[in-house]
Amino acid sequence: MTHYLKLFTALAVLSLSSLFCNAQNTGKETIFIDYFMKTPDIPIVFVKNIREQVIVGIQNRGRLMVLDGERYPKLAPGPVSAYESVSDNIANRENEIKKTGARFVLGGMVTDYRFDRKKNGNRQSFSSYMTVMIWGYDLKTNQKFDQQIYKISGYGATMDEADARAMG
């Protein structure tokens, strides 16, 4: 009988802690992290890594609940111009995105990949450069947030090392 009482108590504690965690999250707004776009010179793996870094950064701040837009294949933007406006980018998907419960949409684009190789005697070093544009949209107020542009770079003894440091 004592074994069942301990089991029941443990289940009750777990259930209450689960309810408490869910209640804490209900006060947070939700952000939908959209698919990131890229120019043809950017490898898709770079875009995936940079997008993941953005998601982790937002989650670490703890202010918003994050929805990964790539988990909603029906909401994929389809073929779009890399330079179309934020409003045009989500206009035909806005109602469906709202159904996820998201208040905000965040998207991005990675462009301008280039690298340099320098040789100093027998040693080589590499530099990697990219531009990341991030934009946001409030679905409740239909307000666009100013686009932020980040120039990222990394350096290393190999090209892969320089790329990884740029994305990190």
Side-chain angles (χ1 to χ4, degrees):
M1 189 82 153
T2 310
H3 174 70
Y4 290 112
L5 186 57
K6 287 180 183 177
L7 180 62
F8 177 75
T9 305
L11 288 173
V13 169
L14 288 174
S15 296
L16 287 175
S17 65
S18 173
L19 287 173
F20 179 71
C21 289
N22 288 339
Q24 278 185 317
N25 290 337
T26 58
K28 293 181 184 179
E29 295 285 359
T30 303
I31 187 166
F32 182 90
I33 308 299
D34 207 357
Y35 289 73
F36 276 31
M37 296 179 280
K38 69 180 197 71
T39 52
D41 58 325
I42 304 291
I44 192 69
V45 70
F46 290 7
V47 177
K48 297 264 185 209
N49 282 334
I50 291 168
R51 185 176 176 277
E52 184 62 31
Q53 293 283 350
V54 169
I55 290 172
V56 168
I58 292 170
Q59 288 173 330
N60 286 344
R61 290 189 77 181
R63 295 182 181 172
L64 299 167
M65 291 185 57
V66 176
L67 291 178
D68 183 348
E70 289 187 359
R71 296 187 188 267
Y72 299 85
K74 290 182 179 179
L75 296 178
V80 293
S81 164
Y83 298 100
E84 72 182 309
S85 73
V86 172
S87 303
D88 293 342
N89 183 277
I90 67 161
N92 61 345
R93 303 177 299 135
E94 184 173 346
N95 288 331
E96 293 300 314
I97 293 173
K98 282 181 181 178
K99 288 178 186 177
T100 67
R103 166 144 186 208
F104 303 104
V105 176
L106 182 133
M109 182 170 177
V110 184
T111 65
D112 303 326
Y113 175 67
R114 68 180 178 83
F115 66 91
D116 293 326
R117 183 180 104 181
K118 293 181 182 171
K119 196 167 186 170
N120 187 4
N122 290 340
R123 292 187 164 182
Q124 292 187 89
S125 65
F126 294 86
S127 303
S128 179
Y129 306 92
M130 289 173 255
T131 300
V132 180
M133 294 178 275
I134 304 289
W135 53 264
Y137 192 75
D138 185 332
L139 293 169
K140 187 175 181 180
T141 65
N142 294 324
Q143 178 184 6
K144 289 188 279 185
F145 299 110
D146 290 338
Q147 180 172 292
Q148 300 291 313
I149 298 175
Y150 302 93
K151 302 282 185 179
I152 60 175
S153 61
Y155 310 95
T158 66
M159 194 64 231
D160 289 340
E161 187 179 328
D163 289 342
R165 286 187 175 163
M167 290 180 282

